[in-house]
Amino acid sequence: MCVGFEVWAIIIKIKTSKFLKHLISQVQWSGIYNKGLSNYCLSCCVNTLLQTLSATWELADLLDKWDTAGVRMEGRNVPLHLKGVLTAMRSEILQPAPHQDFLHCLDKNRVRLNVQHDADEVFLFILNSMLQQMNDKPLALEIQNLYKISVETQLQCLECSSLQTQSSYLLSMPLHIKEDHDSLEDCLTSFFEHQELWGINSCFCPKCEMKTPSKQGFKLLSLPQILCVNLKRARNSRFGTQKLNCKVTFPERFDFSDAVKEAFSSNSALTGHKYTLYAVVVHSGSAMCGHYTAYVRHRMDQRWYYADDSHVKQVDTAYMLMYRRDASETTVQLSDGIVA
């Protein structure tokens, strides 16, 4: 099922009521209000990410455990300001959440105001800031582990068949889409397909002691509790950067092991494969100029809500998908590595 059609049906109903349209920026979630965020200095990208991070209650719960007494670099500390704005978004005060301090904090960290940003790049910057700027390193690692996708890179020489492996991790899964109709399952299958490297792309083989044609691919070692999928729509051409506006369907619930049976490494011990969609980042416009909005799922009633700066509009093209592993599923972290 394509989630976008279901969400649009809910928006139509909301748009018919002026009262509900007013509440779109401050939806009541389990007795507290999830507030709208004003567009300040082209902040729609950050606003959308804040809505999805607010819907990720696991992150907010961990930040609530952080003792911030004595934290230095208050004006430049991204996780400190993130904790503050997420707390304000959950408060019962009926007014827009104050997020300008967070935006200025990002600006001091070179995520500039009055500049259109890529949502995935800002998302990864925020997550990496946890390890760099939090004084509670175990808690920072716990936050990062919410999103950590442990993978094994495999490089096989096509001359001698020797195999080299290296463990690393991703915080979001970048999936390239095609120009015709795509599905999330098709994109995942393409991501885990092996690619042959020839000519100038050949890699050094220690056994052959020279560059040889190779076959490269990825295998999963472990899956995270929060799976973030980045649909790569930008393409470079002689006319500049173009955006692919083709349709991509994605399910509300899926089992990773059913979607991509060949994705798992023989060294993995995975037992948590089932995910439920809870947030969608939407981008409308061109590759160089556009607008971000988000759909987020209510924690208690499981209904979808649309978050925009001040108005409601039809969903355009999905950009990032965030899946939460089902509560009954568990997994084991097997390896650490370098963020990609």
Side-chain angles (χ1 to χ4, degrees):
M1 176 174 56
C2 181
V3 174
F5 295 115
E6 179 180 340
V7 175
W8 173 235
I10 294 175
I11 294 172
I12 290 292
K13 186 182 296 184
I14 292 174
K15 197 172 182 179
T16 59
S17 167
K18 291 183 179 180
F19 176 67
L20 289 177
K21 184 176 180 181
H22 170 70
L23 288 184
I24 194 66
S25 64
Q26 45 190 32
V27 180
Q28 186 176 10
W29 284 11
S30 308
I32 57 178
Y33 290 86
N34 188 60
K35 297 179 175 61
L37 300 165
S38 60
N39 194 323
Y40 176 75
C41 298
L42 302 179
S43 67
C44 68
C45 173
V46 177
N47 291 356
T48 297
L49 290 174
L50 286 173
Q51 294 290 356
T52 63
L53 294 174
S54 178
T56 311
W57 63 79
E58 299 90 343
L59 171 63
D61 290 346
L62 288 174
L63 283 175
D64 284 343
K65 296 179 181 179
W66 183 24
D67 182 3
T68 58
V71 174
R72 299 179 180 180
M73 297 175 59
E74 291 85 354
R76 299 174 61 91
N77 193 293
V78 173
L80 179 65
H81 284 278
L82 178 63
K83 177 180 179 178
V85 73
L86 293 182
T87 299
M89 291 176 71
R90 292 180 292 162
S91 72
E92 296 184 7
I93 301 175
L94 295 178
Q95 62 184 27
H99 67 310
Q100 292 187 13
D101 286 346
F102 179 69
L103 295 171
H104 283 286
C105 175
L106 290 177
D107 184 68
K108 292 177 182 178
N109 285 273
R110 300 185 179 181
V111 181
R112 299 302 187 190
L113 295 169
N114 293 305
V115 175
Q116 297 218 1
H117 294 285
D118 179 88
D120 187 59
E121 291 180 358
V122 178
F123 171 75
L124 293 176
F125 172 80
I126 292 172
L127 290 186
N128 284 318
S129 296
M130 304 289 183
L131 278 181
Q132 297 168 2
Q133 298 181 350
M134 287 181 69
N135 57 0
D136 188 337
K137 296 305 179 185
L139 186 61
L141 284 171
E142 193 173 351
I143 291 173
Q144 194 171 78
N145 284 339
L146 284 176
Y147 300 90
K148 184 183 287 186
I149 309 164
S150 294
V151 297
E152 180 182 77
T153 303
Q154 298 182 346
L155 184 66
Q156 186 174 28
C157 175
L158 295 179
E159 296 289 343
C160 67
S161 299
S162 63
L163 182 66
Q164 302 177 62
T165 62
Q166 181 178 1
S167 298
S168 60
Y169 70 84
L170 308 166
L171 296 178
S172 69
M173 186 170 288
L175 301 182
H176 289 275
I177 64 176
K178 303 173 185 177
E179 296 190 23
D180 54 357
H181 178 83
D182 253 318
S183 69
L184 177 63
E185 293 86 346
D186 291 337
C187 293
L188 286 169
T189 299
S190 297
F191 180 81
F192 288 102
E193 285 179 345
H194 284 77
Q195 294 183 342
E196 293 189 355
L197 306 176
W198 295 81
I200 60 173
N201 296 318
S202 298
C203 297
F204 181 80
C205 174
K207 188 174 180 180
C208 298
E209 298 184 342
M210 59 183 296
K211 286 188 174 183
T212 61
S214 306
K215 183 171 64 173
Q216 185 182 46
F218 298 99
K219 293 291 185 180
L220 282 171
L221 292 173
S222 66
L223 287 167
Q225 185 171 356
I226 304 298
L227 177 64
C228 180
V229 176
N230 177 22
L231 301 178
K232 306 291 285 186
R233 291 185 174 272
R235 293 291 186 275
N236 293 321
S237 68
R238 61 179 181 173
F239 303 108
T241 303
Q242 305 292 322
K243 177 185 172 184
L244 300 181
N245 290 302
C246 51
K247 178 180 178 181
V248 178
T249 59
F250 46 92
E252 286 194 67
R253 294 175 178 84
F254 81 103
D255 189 325
F256 209 109
S257 59
D258 288 340
V260 197
K261 294 181 173 62
E262 305 300 323
F264 302 103
S265 168
S266 58
N267 298 323
S268 65
L270 294 167
T271 57
H273 303 161
K274 297 179 181 178
Y275 285 88
T276 299
L277 187 70
Y278 77 95
V280 180
V281 173
V282 178
H283 182 266
S284 57
S286 67
M288 305 306 296
C289 181
H291 182 62
Y292 284 101
T293 55
Y295 287 92
V296 289
R297 187 194 289 267
H298 189 297
R299 180 178 183 178
M300 299 303 295
D301 65 16
Q302 295 298 297
R303 294 180 180 176
W304 286 92
Y305 294 93
Y306 181 68
D308 193 0
D309 296 325
S310 60
H311 61 281
V312 174
K313 58 187 284 187
Q314 186 176 4
V315 64
D316 196 274
T317 51
Y319 183 81
M320 290 173 64
L321 314 177
M322 297 189 183
Y323 284 89
R324 175 179 285 111
R325 194 175 64 236
D326 291 356
S328 60
E329 301 286 326
T330 58
T331 191
V332 178
Q333 289 287 342
L334 296 178
S335 62
D336 292 320
I338 301 172
V339 64

